[in-house]
Amino acid sequence: MSRPHLTHWGAFQARSDGTRLTDVQPFPGDPEPNQLIHNVASAQHHPTRVDRPYVRAGWLERGPGPAPGRGSEPFVPLDWAEAEELLGAELRRVYHDHGARKVFGGSYGWGSAGRFHHAQSQVHRFLNTLGGYVRSFGTYSYGTSEALLPHILGDAWAVIRGSTSWEQIERHTDLVVAFGGISAKNAMMSSGGVARHRIRGRLARARAAGTRFVSISPIADDTPPEAEAEWLAPRPGTDAALMLALAHVLITEELADHTFLDRYTVGYHKFAADVIGQGRTPEWAAARTGLPAARIRELAREMAAGRTMISVSWSLQRARFGEQPLWLGVVLAAMLGQIGLPGGGFGHGYGSSAYPGEGGSAISLPALPQGHNPVREFIPVARISDMLLNPGAPYEFNGQRLSYPDIRLVYWCGGNPFHHHQDLARLREAFTRPETIVVHDPFWTATARHADFVLPSTMTVERDDFGMGNADAELWAMPALTAPHAQARDDYTIFSALAARFGVEREFTEGRDARAWLEHLYSTWRKDLPDFETFFANGVAELPVRPADQVLLADFRADPEASPLPTPSGRIEIHSATIEGFGYQDCPGHPVWLDPGPEPEDRPLYLLANQPKSRLHSQHDVGAHSRATKHRDREPLRMHPGDAAARGLGDGDIVLVRGERGACLAAVRISDALRPGVVQLSTGAWYDPDPADPAFCRHGNPNVLFADLPTSNLAQGCAGAHTRVEVTAYDGELPPLSVLAPPPSQSDA
Ligand SMILES: Nc1nc2c(c(=O)[nH]1)N[C@H]1C(S)=C(S)[C@@H](COP(=O)(O)OP(=O)(O)OC[C@H]3O[C@@H](n4cnc5c(=O)[nH]c(N)nc54)[C@H](O)[C@@H]3O)O[C@H]1N2
Ligand SMILES: Nc1nc2c(c(=O)[nH]1)N[C@H]1C(S)=C(S)[C@@H](COP(=O)(O)OP(=O)(O)OC[C@H]3O[C@@H](n4cnc5c(=O)[nH]c(N)nc54)[C@H](O)[C@@H]3O)O[C@H]1N2
Ligand SMILES: [Mo]
């Protein structure tokens, strides 16, 4: 019998022989099915699944402590009872001797779809039961928005979740100016799941209704053909210059809407005086962006001539000084006076994920109660290496002077920092510092390989759960389709046993097993749905729909006194006295152009490390669909024919990519979809460090290339969108990858 399943990248149906998935088919209701579903079955029993618990040999011999051998020492297999006893004792030691303020449980990462087995919820509830943990604030996705938007528009999530709907755009918008494009591959994803992919249809319908699209991105296919977009390809990191020039034209040609600016914003005059005073003309911007001044000038006029949506992708804020283009997107929309009008104004994240602009469900799903965390300390999520390397060191964050906690134990469940963080050699150094590192993952990820305890979790197809993404209005049953791989266990089961060793089993489990929790969460949530067994047998439960017709900030526009924004002034802050008061050079009181510094002459190319088309982050990189995109086992690097010719490179050549920090191998793919001078190496190839040099990845993980720099002191956000590199032919012998097999282990002693 074929049964349904939900992942972050799509819903599918599959049969199973009890161990393996067979006949995987996209959910028939999905208008734009996604090939990524084929990574699941092919990854499930890959040799890199963790088959049983392991402990690092050096930890077993010498006990907890800083360990330069993490990531290179062999592992010792354990059975579950041994693992529980060793780790249970270690958790008791750390909480008893050091306390919860020495435990880092931020554990950032996407884990899997499914509400109950949501890895973050599990690990946070578990650590709270033990006494708490140091957490992390914000995301790698839009962490800079999460710090900045509250100052200028109010809550970031309200802005993203409340994006003006695609239906409003189709009906009302003349022009969408999409900074960072509207990516069809990225809109394939939604955290928590997505049943219906719709972006291409949305774009096609808006286009048919007369909406014009301008895609401002160094890559042509960042906006799919359905939009028939005009392609303007600036140099990466120069959008702020372009936006300031657009503002310059709106000011000098008297196209700014002063009625709107007076009523709904503060600080416009300071900003405008600066734009004029600094001479931010289209000619000035042309020199930075590489776009023609005449086209910039004309674009500003077109924006003022009709209903215009300014769309800023999340990628723009994931860069050094990423606050500036984000803020300027809001300022431009305010200058056009269309914020709060149907189809006009500002949008953040169209095409960055499936749900911005979609309706979804009117109610949220039940969640596993998290308990209470008494620990106040936190870090901005992307400061992980800084924290581990510099305990006690002071730093700035969003107007606060903080200092890094002194972490003895790191617990990671459902994330892969050796995928998501920048400067992996530095992260590897940081990972030598704690006394103990624990990782749960289904796979031997690079993070698992750098841990002391590695505990094998199940994949979603191996356990019962239910789930729903933000773009949908139906709850999906996610019945186990197969038995667990080898000795893998659910995170919940693992935590329950560890809680018992800690003497807090009752607090953690409340006497329920996983199935009982599912029933409990479901049945205490809504009374108007079929009972749990019926729902699970049906496979789906329809939920109240949140209509897809919202207009961002319509209430505020209708009455700014009755519905002020949750900003200090209650209005849109074009100039923020609060931010000015922080005194940050790298994020002043209103948005400006911050010079990126001198051209690195030995690294003339821009490298875009964007989201991978063939997988979600690092997940299932060993899956068939992801592997099929590789060439000679290396991650593809797209390059313009002119740049390739200048370097004597051809399609399929293996190249050495040299960055600000490290280097990696990759396989050239020639493509004229790139702006000349820009190459693209997506994230997600499993980090495969040369044994002699952790800054050299043999596989093609771009995060070895980046320096570990924040966006600014304001957000301390991830700045991994782009960096500078040189690419040359690789003449050495091609080293085999080590990440396609499990790490070395010592047989049972
Ligand atoms: N240079 C650069 N770096 C980037 C980005 C970029 O644009 N450029 N993008 C950033 C962004 S936006 C993000 S969100 C991050 C993503 O970073 P992560 O979210 O850390 O990446 P994933 O590969 O999704 O890691 C999730 C891990 O959870 C595991 N997992 C899945 N299900 C379960 C489960 O049930 N239990 C347990 N214990 N584990 C499970 C998976 O096997 C995987 O190893 O990367 C960031 N890094
Ligand atoms: N297939 C797939 N989809 C995904 C994910 C995945 O791993 N795989 N991850 C999901 C997650 S967690 C997130 S947060 C979102 C991220 O969504 P985004 O942050 O929007 O995605 P990116 O792919 O990093 O960037 C989109 C495009 O922005 C362009 N860009 C980069 N820098 C600049 C710049 O300086 N200026 C301009 N104008 N354009 C620039 C790049 O060409 C890039 O292709 O994607 C989600 N969707
Ligand atoms: Mo993300």
Side-chain angles (χ1 to χ4, degrees):
M1 188 182 78
S2 200
R3 282 177 302 166
H5 197 69
L6 185 66
T7 69
H8 291 311
W9 47 91
F12 62 80
Q13 297 175 328
R15 294 173 202 278
S16 138
D17 63 9
T19 311
R20 286 168 196 281
L21 300 182
T22 56
D23 195 20
V24 174
Q25 300 289 340
F27 164 52
D30 186 347
E32 301 165 22
N34 178 357
Q35 291 301 308
L36 260 73
I37 57 173
H38 297 296
N39 278 336
V40 179
S42 47
Q44 191 190 2
H45 299 294
H46 191 270
T48 56
R49 273 303 289 275
V50 186
D51 58 351
R52 58 187 299 173
Y54 287 89
V55 63
R56 182 174 56 84
W59 198 99
L60 194 61
E61 283 157 25
R62 296 182 292 278
R70 284 196 185 103
S72 52
E73 274 177 24
F75 286 90
V76 178
L78 302 173
D79 47 36
W80 274 108
E82 291 169 326
E84 287 159 16
E85 187 178 325
L86 270 181
L87 180 55
E90 173 61 359
L91 290 168
R92 286 198 304 277
R93 181 191 74 86
V94 171
Y95 275 89
H96 184 265
D97 293 358
H98 299 300
R101 293 170 59 217
K102 305 283 165 97
V103 174
F104 182 66
S107 189
Y108 181 77
W110 266 56
S112 285
R115 196 56 273 198
F116 172 69
H117 291 290
H118 180 237
Q120 301 303 307
S121 307
Q122 291 290 343
V123 66
H124 293 154
R125 176 180 170 88
F126 172 68
L127 294 176
N128 282 340
T129 312
L130 268 47
Y133 62 95
V134 174
R135 65 200 161 82
S136 57
F137 171 85
T139 61
Y140 279 70
S141 310
Y142 42 77
T144 294
S145 309
E146 287 166 286
L148 178 70
L149 288 181
H151 294 293
I152 64 173
L153 273 187
D155 178 39
W157 179 242
V159 171
I160 292 169
R161 188 69 190 98
S163 302
T164 295
S165 70
W166 283 110
E167 286 172 20
Q168 296 287 358
I169 291 174
E170 180 185 329
R171 254 182 275 152
H172 300 282
T173 309
D174 299 309
L175 176 65
V176 175
V177 183
F179 293 91
I182 296 174
S183 167
K185 72 169 168 56
N186 289 356
M188 285 290 177
M189 302 291 168
S190 192
S191 165
V194 51
R196 290 171 192 78
H197 298 94
R198 297 187 166 103
I199 192 75
R200 289 173 183 274
R202 292 290 193 201
L203 293 170
R205 275 193 298 283
R207 184 70 199 110
T211 308
R212 203 157 63 76
F213 290 85
V214 178
S215 179
I216 300 176
S217 162
I219 307 184
D221 48 28
D222 272 339
T223 303
E226 286 81 354
E228 298 177 351
E230 178 192 3
W231 180 34
L232 296 181
R235 294 192 184 99
T238 63
D239 303 80
L242 170 59
M243 290 161 152
L244 286 165
L246 293 168
H248 194 280
V249 178
L250 296 179
I251 298 165
T252 52
E253 302 194 1
E254 294 182 14
L255 296 170
D257 181 340
H258 287 277
T259 314
F260 183 90
L261 289 166
D262 290 347
R263 182 150 191 226
Y264 297 100
T265 73
V266 293
Y268 172 67
H269 294 288
K270 267 193 182 143
F271 166 77
D274 203 21
V275 171
I276 299 302
Q278 302 277 339
R280 299 318 190 200
T281 61
E283 287 69 24
W284 170 85
R288 272 138 203 96
T289 59
L291 299 176
R295 183 67 198 105
I296 299 174
R297 187 165 277 114
E298 198 49 47
L299 180 61
R301 294 172 186 150
E302 291 165 18
M303 284 161 56
R307 187 62 55 86
T308 297
M309 174 60 75
I310 309 236
S311 163
V312 176
S313 74
W314 297 342
S315 57
L316 260 75
Q317 49 90 65
R318 201 177 305 115
R320 200 74 183 119
F321 314 137
E323 291 82 359
Q324 307 307 313
L326 173 66
W327 199 342
L328 282 164
V330 175
V331 171
L332 280 176
M335 291 176 75
L336 296 176
Q338 298 182 10
I339 291 176
L341 288 182
F346 171 78
H348 190 32
Y350 292 118
S352 294
S353 196
Y355 62 85
E358 296 293 349
S361 162
I363 56 170
S364 49
L365 293 187
L368 183 66
Q370 296 294 282
H372 171 66
N373 185 0
V375 177
R376 312 289 307 198
E377 280 95 335
F378 71 95
I379 56 162
V381 68
R383 299 279 56 83
I384 173 74
S385 292
D386 285 353
M387 172 184 74
L388 295 177
L389 290 169
N390 308 304
Y395 68 102
E396 287 289 326
F397 169 62
N398 206 359
Q400 296 168 267
R401 186 133 183 100
L402 301 171
S403 62
Y404 289 115
D406 178 12
I407 294 302
R408 304 303 170 94
L409 183 138
V410 170
Y411 214 118
W412 226 291
C413 177
N416 187 1
F418 282 86
H419 160 76
H420 63 233
H421 198 53
Q422 284 63 60
D423 195 347
L424 296 181
R426 184 168 187 259
L427 180 66
R428 195 182 216 242
E429 173 64 25
F431 260 55
T432 65
R433 301 296 173 89
E435 294 173 6
T436 295
I437 298 177
V438 189
V439 169
H440 297 193
D441 206 290
F443 291 90
W444 278 109
T445 61
T447 304
R449 289 168 202 252
H450 287 83
D452 300 320
F453 285 90
V454 179
L455 303 181
S457 351
T458 49
M459 288 171 67
T460 54
V461 293
E462 299 164 354
R463 62 196 183 209
D464 289 338
D465 208 339
F466 52 70
M468 179 185 82
N470 289 318
D472 295 309
E474 68 214 353
L475 183 69
W476 280 66
M478 298 167 59
L481 303 180
T482 75
H485 174 83
Q487 296 184 33
R489 289 185 180 172
D490 306 337
D491 296 307
Y492 178 71
T493 308
I494 301 172
F495 286 133
S496 301
L498 290 171
R501 301 274 172 168
F502 203 92
V504 291
E505 183 183 16
R506 184 77 209 172
E507 289 85 335
F508 181 72
T509 66
E510 297 178 22
R512 294 186 191 95
D513 64 9
R515 180 75 181 197
W517 268 108
L518 283 176
E519 292 188 28
H520 171 75
L521 291 175
Y522 179 92
S523 55
T524 53
W525 170 53
R526 304 244 343 152
K527 300 291 163 216
D528 54 348
L529 293 175
D531 66 76
F532 181 78
E533 294 305 332
T534 312
F535 153 64
F536 226 66
N538 289 346
V540 76
E542 306 289 334
L543 301 183
V545 176
R546 173 178 179 269
D549 61 0
Q550 71 270 13
V551 174
L552 179 67
L553 300 179
D555 294 348
F556 169 63
R557 186 182 184 102
D559 189 343
E561 269 71 50
S563 306
L565 297 183
T567 60
S569 60
R571 300 200 237 164
I572 298 167
E573 303 226 342
I574 292 175
H575 180 95
S576 160
T578 308
I579 294 178
E580 183 176 43
F582 298 160
Y584 298 148
Q585 302 271 322
D586 53 9
C587 189
H590 57 251
V592 295
W593 170 250
L594 293 168
D595 199 89
E599 283 278 305
E601 273 163 26
D602 57 336
R603 288 177 288 116
L605 297 170
Y606 289 85
L607 179 135
L608 293 168
N610 61 354
Q611 315 307 311
K613 190 174 181 183
S614 58
R615 58 188 171 254
L616 172 71
H617 313 137
S618 69
Q619 294 199 33
H620 308 163
D621 187 31
V622 294
H625 182 63
S626 179
R627 293 273 291 153
T629 66
K630 315 247 177 183
H631 178 64
R632 299 175 71 194
D633 278 345
R634 313 302 132 157
E635 188 67 15
L637 171 133
R638 289 206 295 175
M639 185 179 238
H640 188 271
D643 292 321
R647 289 165 177 77
L649 297 171
D651 196 72
D653 283 359
I654 303 298
V655 286
L656 180 71
V657 189
R658 216 167 21 77
E660 184 168 0
R661 282 296 184 271
C664 68
L665 299 181
V668 169
R669 289 297 180 210
I670 307 286
S671 165
D672 57 12
L674 294 141
R675 178 194 158 88
V678 175
V679 296
Q680 176 208 336
L681 177 63
S682 294
T683 58
W686 284 5
Y687 172 53
D688 197 324
D690 184 296
D693 180 7
F696 180 63
C697 174
R698 301 175 289 194
H699 188 187
N701 184 323
N703 274 327
V704 294
L705 309 170
F706 282 79
D708 184 4
L709 292 173
T711 54
S712 80
N713 280 312
L714 185 96
Q716 293 283 0
C718 169
H722 49 82
T723 186
R724 301 296 292 259
V725 299
E726 180 54 294
V727 176
T728 51
Y730 179 72
D731 300 325
E733 200 177 319
L734 200 55
L737 296 185
S738 65
V739 289
L740 300 178
S745 77
Q746 292 171 359
S747 57
D748 263 318

